[in-house]
């Protein structure tokens, strides 16, 4: 939970360099952008209550950058959220900035570039914040990230998708940064010790695909969802949306040997096609076993589709007061503009398009936040009160797909989540007694998601679909939470923007295309 935290007095420090390079995580060589040359990027480790300081230097040739700390609330430190166009200007090539914030929560998450679609080029890694667990375990195996993988650079795929009639086809899905393909590559290997219990931190750091996962012969005991400890439950298979995490315990009580971790996408109908669907795997090997490819049999049916887990009971109980939520409608449009298709997602009246060179946090300080329609801002005035929102998909949407909805600066409570249905306004149907609490939840196909969060963190907070293509196509809003109470350090923002503007004007003397915000 994040109402209080210990003060360790300790500061963990990291120094990261983002650079252009090449990599071949599944045997196919392509250009990548990496932190410290590593893929996945370095894991950020801290203890609950630590201060964290990460200095990021941009050594890219012609791209800005910036790092967002997914799920970390940035309580009182809105300017450290790392969101280009909202809380900062991008860090230009040749420049550095230091992010400083506190680990007010504990558990598993990830950091990623929030500059356009850059994270899907490789600027991504895990966050592990050590804290209590709702069930004991012997060995922490660390993070196990999943990501669907494209052989074509994502900036190219994203540009094509903006004008396409459907989702792009992924070439593969990486498990902990590796997989086999027709070009080579290899399976990842995770080592288990016979007779021990192991904590494994599953996360979907992907782009477009949901992840359905199971381990032969070993059910998962699920102990946390996103940054929230839950009442432990047993699952044979888990479904994980882009941005979500599950901490699970695996009991190594089987015969010493090799076991398959089996991974499927959502199947294509609810997410997007993946050429390796049905063949995505990773090896779990007991210490002392030979190094064979597993011969294990699937012991459980893999979950299918793109649905959130249903058995999440927060360990720390909350009763949410009942009131009527405000509705935001999600509409899809694919119209011909200047002779070519243009895909856009509307929330409310507009797709969100913001200027990365003119971040909202700076605009607030200049003019109190006189935002344009396409900046898609929603104002929240009251302090420390629950805010309720219905996100409703238009049943007439031609793109009948679910969306992983992520909110910055807060965890939210999931009060309702229904597919193929229009919210009827019946507040008695909402789950107010200890509802699931997390930072990313699925808005089901042609249905609705009802959320609540407390306005206890003044700032500019993005809420968006975590599929980078959809955010590029406008699927986002900005909450302007208590504009007059924002206490952020604007020196960081102003200094960063001055650097960015100088680089931009030199590098693009004939004008810079601001492009679309994505992440
Ligand atoms: Cu989406």
């Amino acid at each position: 939970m994040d109402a209080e935290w210990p003060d360790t007095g300790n500061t963990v420090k990291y120094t990261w360099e983002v650079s252009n390079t090449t990599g071949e995580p599944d045997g196919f060589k392509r250009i990548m952008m990496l932190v410290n040359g590593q893929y996945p990027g370095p894991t950020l480790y801290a203890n609950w209550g630590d201060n964290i300081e990460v200095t990021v230097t941009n050594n890219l040739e012609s791209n800005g950058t910036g790092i967002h700390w997914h799920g970390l609330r940035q309580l009182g430190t809105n300017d450290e959220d790392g969101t280009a166009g909202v809380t900062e200007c991008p860090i230009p090539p040749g420049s550095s900035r230091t992010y400083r914030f506190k680990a007010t929560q504990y558990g598993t998450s990830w950091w990623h570039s929030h500059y356009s679609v850059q994270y899907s080029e490789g600027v991504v890694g895990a966050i592990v914040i050590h804290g209590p667990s709702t069930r004991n375990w012997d060995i922490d195996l660390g993070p196990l990230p999943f990501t669907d993988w494209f052989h074509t650079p994502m900036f190219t795929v994203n540009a094509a998708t903006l004008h396409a009639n459907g989702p792009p086809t992924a070439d593969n899905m990486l498990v902990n940064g590796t997989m086999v393909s027709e070009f080579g590559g290899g399976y990842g290997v995770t080592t288990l010790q016979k007779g021990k219990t192991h904590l494994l931190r599953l996360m979907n750091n992907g782009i477009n695909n949901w992840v359905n996962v199971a381990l032969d012969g070993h059910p998962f005991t699920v102990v946390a969802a996103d940054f929230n400890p839950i009442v432990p439950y047993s699952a044979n298979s888990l479904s994980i949306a882009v941005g979500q995490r599950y901490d699970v315990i695996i009991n190594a009580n089987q015969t010493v040997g090799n076991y398959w971790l089996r991974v499927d996408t959502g199947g294509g109908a609810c997410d997007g096609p993946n050429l390796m669907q049905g063949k995505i795997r990773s090896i779990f090997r007991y210490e002392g076993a030979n190094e064979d490819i597993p011969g294990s049999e699937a012991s459980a049916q893999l979950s299918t589709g793109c649905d959130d887990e249903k058995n999440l009971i927060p360990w720390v109980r909350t009763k949410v007061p009942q009131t009527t939520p405000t509705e935001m409608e999600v509409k899809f449009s694919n119209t011909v503009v200047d002779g070519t298709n243009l895909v856009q997602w509307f929330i409310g009246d507009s797709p969100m398009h913001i200027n990365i060179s003119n971040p909202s946090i700076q605009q607030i300080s200049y003019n109190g936040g006189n935002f344009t329609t396409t900046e898609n801002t929603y104002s929240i005035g009251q302090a420390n009160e629950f805010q309720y929102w219905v996100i409703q998909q238009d049943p007439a949407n031609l793109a009948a797909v679910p969306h992983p909805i992520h909110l910055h600066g807060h965890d939210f409570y999931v009060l309702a989540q229904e597919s193929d249905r229009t919210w009827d306004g019946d507040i008695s149907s909402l789950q107010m007694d200890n509802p699931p609490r997390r930072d990313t939840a699925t808005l089901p196909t042609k249905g609705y998601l009802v959320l609540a969060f407390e306005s206890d963190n003044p700032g500019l907070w993005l809420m968006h679909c975590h599929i980078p293509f959809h955010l590029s196509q406008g699927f986002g809003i900005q909450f302007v939470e208590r504009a007059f109470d924002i206490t952020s350090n604007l020196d960081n923002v102003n200094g960063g923007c001055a650097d960015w503007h100088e680089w931009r004007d030199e590098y693009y003397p004939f004008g810079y295309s601001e492009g679309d915000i994505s992440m």
Side-chain angles (χ1 to χ4, degrees):
M1 291 297 292
D2 51 30
E4 35 190 78
W5 48 88
D7 187 2
T8 62
N10 188 40
T11 301
V12 294
K13 294 184 181 178
Y14 286 88
T15 306
W16 292 353
E17 279 181 27
V18 189
S19 59
N20 293 98
T21 180
T22 56
E24 42 193 289
D26 66 351
F28 181 89
K29 190 171 178 178
R30 51 158 287 186
I31 60 165
M32 292 180 75
M33 298 180 192
L34 297 179
V35 169
N36 295 354
Q38 290 172 241
Y39 187 76
T43 299
L44 194 169
Y45 292 99
N47 288 322
W48 188 29
D50 280 353
N51 296 306
I52 296 171
E53 269 189 33
V54 185
T55 299
V56 178
T57 299
N58 182 354
N59 285 337
L60 297 169
E61 283 154 29
S62 53
N63 272 266
T65 194
I67 305 293
H68 169 62
W69 322 92
H70 184 107
L72 279 162
R73 292 203 52 202
Q74 303 295 355
L75 206 55
T77 50
N78 186 212
D79 57 290
E80 306 299 294
D81 197 42
T83 313
V86 180
T87 64
E88 67 178 24
C89 288
I91 306 167
S95 286
S96 298
R97 86 159 270 189
T98 301
Y99 293 92
R100 292 184 178 85
F101 52 92
K102 201 179 230 337
T104 60
Q105 300 135 280
Y106 56 85
T108 302
S109 196
W110 55 309
W111 54 264
H112 60 80
S113 169
H114 219 296
Y115 173 87
S116 190
V117 295
Q118 197 174 71
Y119 88 77
S120 25
E121 308 287 47
V123 186
V124 60
I127 298 175
V128 171
I129 300 174
H130 298 292
S133 173
T134 55
R135 178 76 52 95
N136 290 334
W137 41 265
D138 300 318
I139 294 164
D140 186 349
L141 294 171
L144 193 79
F146 305 95
T147 178
D148 42 346
W149 190 241
F150 291 73
H151 290 162
T152 306
M154 196 50 52
F155 286 94
T156 308
V157 175
N158 189 47
T161 304
L162 189 59
H163 306 290
N165 266 321
T169 299
D171 294 291
N172 208 337
M173 164 101 60
L174 307 177
V175 182
N176 207 8
T178 184
M179 239 300 278
V180 298
S181 74
E182 59 178 300
F183 304 96
Y187 293 113
V189 177
T190 303
T191 306
L192 299 175
Q193 286 185 33
K194 169 85 178 166
K196 302 281 189 194
T197 53
H198 302 74
L199 182 74
L200 186 63
R201 302 164 182 273
L202 306 173
M203 60 181 86
N204 185 341
N205 295 3
I207 302 158
N208 198 37
N209 281 143
W210 265 251
V211 166
N212 290 291
V213 57
L215 176 59
D216 290 356
H218 300 79
F220 302 129
T221 301
V222 191
V223 294
D226 298 349
F227 269 140
N228 289 275
I230 60 169
V231 176
Y233 75 95
S234 180
N236 289 318
S237 176
L238 282 172
S239 185
I240 315 173
V242 174
Q244 294 182 333
R245 296 85 66 202
Y246 290 102
D247 289 356
V248 303
I249 295 172
I250 295 165
N251 188 0
N253 57 2
Q254 299 297 303
T255 311
V256 169
N258 291 287
Y259 297 86
W260 284 124
L261 183 84
R262 297 171 197 267
V263 186
D264 267 357
T265 69
C270 59
D271 46 6
N274 188 307
L275 294 179
M276 291 294 278
Q277 172 75 336
K279 293 180 269 189
I280 306 157
R281 296 192 182 181
S282 189
I283 297 171
F284 276 61
R285 175 171 293 151
Y286 279 61
E287 231 174 60
N290 55 34
E291 299 195 353
D292 291 348
I293 290 292
S296 60
E297 305 257 328
S299 51
Q301 189 89 35
L302 260 184
S303 49
T304 56
C306 303
D307 300 312
D308 280 355
E309 290 301 304
K310 298 289 181 232
N311 301 309
L312 310 180
I313 303 170
W315 186 262
V316 179
R317 301 186 67 86
T318 306
K319 208 168 172 113
V320 179
Q322 203 160 49
T323 193
T324 305
T326 310
E327 205 163 320
M328 312 176 172
E329 197 181 27
V330 175
K331 280 193 171 139
F332 173 82
S333 104
N334 189 356
T335 48
V336 176
V337 177
D338 297 335
T340 164
N341 280 353
L342 180 67
V343 178
Q344 295 282 274
W345 288 96
F346 286 63
I347 301 194
D349 295 331
S350 181
M352 186 188 74
H353 293 290
I354 56 183
N355 180 341
I356 58 172
S357 299
N358 188 20
S360 307
I361 192 173
Q362 208 177 32
Q363 293 189 53
I364 286 266
S365 73
Y366 289 160
N367 63 15
N370 189 12
F371 294 104
T372 61
T373 309
T374 55
E375 287 170 303
N376 230 10
T377 53
Y378 285 69
S379 221
I380 292 173
Q382 319 97 318
N384 304 310
E385 286 184 21
F386 278 95
Q387 310 295 322
Y388 300 84
W389 301 92
V390 179
I391 309 172
Q392 173 74 54
Q393 298 224 51
D394 181 351
N397 277 349
L398 290 174
V401 288
H403 303 272
I405 303 294
H406 172 54
L407 173 64
H408 291 212
H410 297 273
D411 278 344
F412 50 61
Y413 295 90
V414 181
L415 307 185
Q417 205 170 21
E418 298 287 346
S419 61
D420 299 295
R421 215 174 298 178
T422 303
W423 163 246
D424 63 3
D426 177 12
I427 56 172
S428 71
S429 68
L430 301 176
Q431 186 186 347
M432 314 306 278
D433 188 14
N434 205 27
R437 180 187 157 102
R438 60 190 322 170
D439 56 57
T440 310
T442 298
L443 165 62
T445 304
K446 295 194 174 194
Y448 61 86
L449 176 68
V450 184
L451 304 175
F453 63 91
E454 256 182 301
S455 52
D456 57 2
N457 194 9
L460 276 298
W461 305 114
L462 199 59
M463 184 168 80
H464 62 95
C465 173
H466 218 296
I467 293 169
F469 310 129
H470 294 176
L471 182 53
S472 281
Q473 293 155 359
F475 201 134
I477 64 135
Q478 307 180 70
F479 284 115
V480 182
E481 183 175 341
R482 299 162 57 189
F484 299 108
D485 297 334
I486 298 174
T487 55
S488 280
N489 178 356
L490 276 169
D491 292 347
N492 275 347
V493 182
N494 296 337
C497 283
D499 281 358
W500 169 254
H501 294 156
E502 190 185 334
W503 175 82
R504 178 197 60 181
D505 295 343
E506 192 173 321
Y507 202 84
Y508 294 100
F510 304 110
Y512 175 73
S513 161
E514 299 294 351
D516 299 311
I517 193 237
S518 186
M519 51 193 168

